[in-house]
Amino acid sequence: MDDGEYEVVIIGAGICGLATAVALHRKGIKSVVMEKSESLRNDTGTAIGIWQNGWRALDQLGVADSLRSTVIPIHRERIVSLDDGKEQLISINGEFRALRRKDIIDTLFDALPPATVKFGCQLESINTDTDTAKSVLRFLDGSSIIAKVVIGCDGGNSVVANYLNLKPTKIFSLCGVRGFTNYPNGHSFDHEFGLFRKDNILVGRIPMDDNMVYWFCAHPYLPEDERTWESPELIRRSTLEVLSAHPQEIEEMIKNADINSFSLARLRYRTPWDLLTGTFYKGAVVVAGDALHVMGPFLGQGGSAGLEDSVVLARHITQKGLKQVGNERKIMVEGLGEAFNMYAKQRRMRVLRLSLETYLTGMLLGATSRLKKVMYFMVLSFLFPIKNGHVDYDCGSL
């Protein structure tokens, strides 16, 4: 990579990084996205649920309609307790669909000007030039660049978050398995989000079209899970063992899943109290997406929260951090402090509430004693009495 100087550098070409680049592009701000992998990371992961707050953000980014055409809408949740046989049906108010991660990545990438994303650029360190207040980014290949603005969208192990002295992420006592299952002759599932709970195991199932189903399973982590991470077939076998007491339709779903779609990972989170007191930005360096608020998948809000970040951040940079120079809009470093402060104020309580509800849900699922389960359930019911109340949120216009 050639050394150079850039207006805005985004670290990470995941969903939030690409969405932030698209948001800035729509506001006339040129950015470059530095991605450590050698190609677009559109072959990892399976799908993510996008609730109405996420679709509002996608609408602002101008990519929602093309993504809507790829999957079916989901109209209700069916929550089944396999321990006592109780079942609850909840109508979904607003829009909810599960999107393939590949489709989101590809659509956002296609919405950017050519050569916006540079591959094979793994960030090693960030330093600030005291004379210019600009950031000097050094990469593992020995190259370096200068940037007026650095936006860290580099995931849960973020180099940018470390630069801001955000505390390390923590690990739930749970791991997550995900995959796709194709039913060549069509499946019989309604357009509903099925959630099946048994002991400390949670299984979710979301139809994507008449043939394809996205599923996930969260279950207690066992040390022997480490050996299965790199083998899809071992992931399948271990998951079937975990779900051996579940209904046959769930076991069949795992047996018939696409072997290449399996993934297994420990579930990580940034604690709510770290988000309450942590630094979202320093100088002209700021974080967004999982780099800021990585959370468990229990609410299905990690991806949508990152999309919200991209819209809010681009809006405030446009309002406070720009000046017109000829036909171009240039970053005004002296205005970035106010822009980032506004971004931090707007996002802090939003991601704090999401992270707190996710944290409590994960602790409830992973609790091994009845007393702890009752305690977490009572706290959740008191703080978040409205089921799915977090999806009734609008991040505003771009």
Side-chain angles (χ1 to χ4, degrees):
M1 181 179 62
D2 296 332
D3 294 0
E5 183 168 340
Y6 298 88
E7 287 278 295
V8 180
V9 174
I10 299 168
I11 306 298
I15 291 174
C16 183
L18 293 174
T20 302
V22 171
L24 292 171
H25 173 62
R26 289 179 64 85
K27 301 301 288 187
I29 304 171
K30 185 177 180 180
S31 67
V32 61
V33 182
M34 301 296 185
E35 168 56 39
K36 66 180 180 181
S37 64
E38 296 297 331
S39 61
L40 199 62
R41 289 185 288 122
N42 58 3
D43 59 350
T44 60
T46 46
I48 61 172
I50 302 291
W51 295 82
Q52 66 178 1
N53 57 300
W55 285 105
R56 287 168 176 161
L58 289 170
D59 277 323
Q60 293 300 314
L61 297 173
V63 299
D65 287 342
S66 61
L67 287 169
R68 285 187 177 101
S69 67
T70 65
V71 287
I72 60 175
I74 303 300
H75 302 305
R76 67 180 184 180
E77 285 185 86
R78 181 160 70 98
I79 304 173
V80 180
S81 172
L82 298 175
D83 295 314
D84 56 20
K86 292 182 180 179
E87 184 173 313
Q88 184 180 16
L89 292 176
I90 304 173
S91 295
I92 293 177
N93 297 319
E95 189 171 8
F96 174 64
R97 307 168 196 251
L99 286 174
R100 296 170 184 84
R101 186 180 183 279
K102 173 179 171 56
D103 290 343
I104 305 175
I105 291 289
D106 288 347
T107 300
L108 291 170
F109 181 79
D110 291 342
L112 292 170
T116 296
V117 181
K118 296 183 181 297
F119 297 103
C121 304
Q122 185 167 354
L123 181 64
E124 182 178 32
S125 66
I126 305 174
N127 292 289
T128 301
D129 186 315
T130 55
D131 294 329
T132 65
K134 295 177 182 179
S135 297
V136 180
L137 309 182
R138 299 190 184 281
F139 298 85
L140 285 182
D141 64 1
S143 63
S144 64
I145 62 173
I146 297 173
K148 280 188 179 179
V149 180
V150 178
I151 303 175
C153 302
D154 46 340
N157 295 316
S158 169
V159 175
V160 182
N162 289 340
Y163 170 78
L164 297 178
N165 293 320
L166 285 173
K167 292 183 178 179
T169 58
K170 298 185 181 300
I171 302 176
F172 282 109
S173 62
L174 302 163
C175 61
V177 185
R178 299 180 295 176
F180 287 126
T181 302
N182 184 54
Y183 296 80
N185 298 319
H187 58 72
S188 59
F189 309 129
D190 291 335
H191 291 196
E192 66 180 18
F193 180 7
L195 280 169
F196 306 88
R197 293 190 173 120
K198 182 176 177 59
D199 298 324
N200 295 90
I201 302 169
L202 176 67
V203 177
R205 182 184 65 205
I206 309 174
M208 306 194 70
D209 53 37
D210 293 335
N211 300 97
M212 184 72 72
V213 169
Y214 164 59
W215 57 266
F216 60 86
C217 171
H219 63 81
Y221 168 78
L222 299 172
E224 53 263 36
D225 288 332
E226 295 282 355
R227 64 183 175 83
T228 71
W229 284 22
E230 302 302 325
S231 171
E233 186 55 47
L234 286 177
I235 295 174
R236 188 206 302 272
R237 292 178 192 173
S238 66
T239 305
L240 284 171
E241 289 177 8
V242 168
L243 302 179
S244 60
H246 282 63
Q248 184 177 356
E249 66 178 28
I250 293 178
E251 292 189 56
E252 290 295 325
M253 181 175 67
I254 308 303
K255 286 180 181 177
N256 298 325
D258 177 3
I259 192 67
N260 295 316
S261 71
F262 277 91
S263 65
L264 170 67
R266 294 293 302 271
L267 301 181
R268 307 184 70 88
Y269 65 98
R270 196 177 295 285
T271 63
W273 41 94
D274 287 343
L275 287 170
L276 180 63
T277 60
T279 301
F280 285 33
Y281 69 95
K282 181 167 65 176
V285 179
V286 65
V287 281
D290 280 354
L292 174 61
H293 48 65
V294 63
M295 62 185 78
F298 315 112
L299 303 184
Q301 282 296 315
S304 292
L307 293 169
E308 292 173 6
D309 290 344
S310 69
V311 173
V312 176
L313 184 55
R315 178 171 68 239
H316 289 311
I317 289 176
T318 303
Q319 291 175 349
K320 298 296 181 180
L322 285 184
K323 63 180 177 181
Q324 195 74 27
V325 180
N327 295 324
E328 294 186 340
R329 308 182 85 181
K330 294 288 189 179
I331 295 293
M332 184 173 58
V333 174
E334 55 269 27
L336 288 175
E338 186 175 358
F340 289 167
N341 187 50
M342 293 170 64
Y343 162 74
K345 282 184 176 180
Q346 182 169 346
R347 297 305 294 161
R348 191 181 300 275
M349 293 309 299
R350 169 62 174 166
V351 299
L352 173 64
R353 288 185 60 83
L354 287 176
S355 296
L356 179 58
E357 187 172 0
T358 305
Y359 169 77
L360 291 171
T361 304
M363 297 305 287
L364 171 62
L365 183 61
T368 55
S369 74
R370 182 171 179 80
L371 177 60
K372 287 184 177 181
K373 284 183 178 292
V374 170
M375 180 187 70
Y376 286 123
F377 179 79
M378 291 180 64
V379 174
L380 265 170
S381 300
F382 176 75
L383 294 177
F384 306 100
I386 302 176
K387 171 68 175 173
N388 292 334
H390 51 269
V391 309
D392 188 20
Y393 178 86
D394 190 342
C395 63
S397 61
L398 184 58

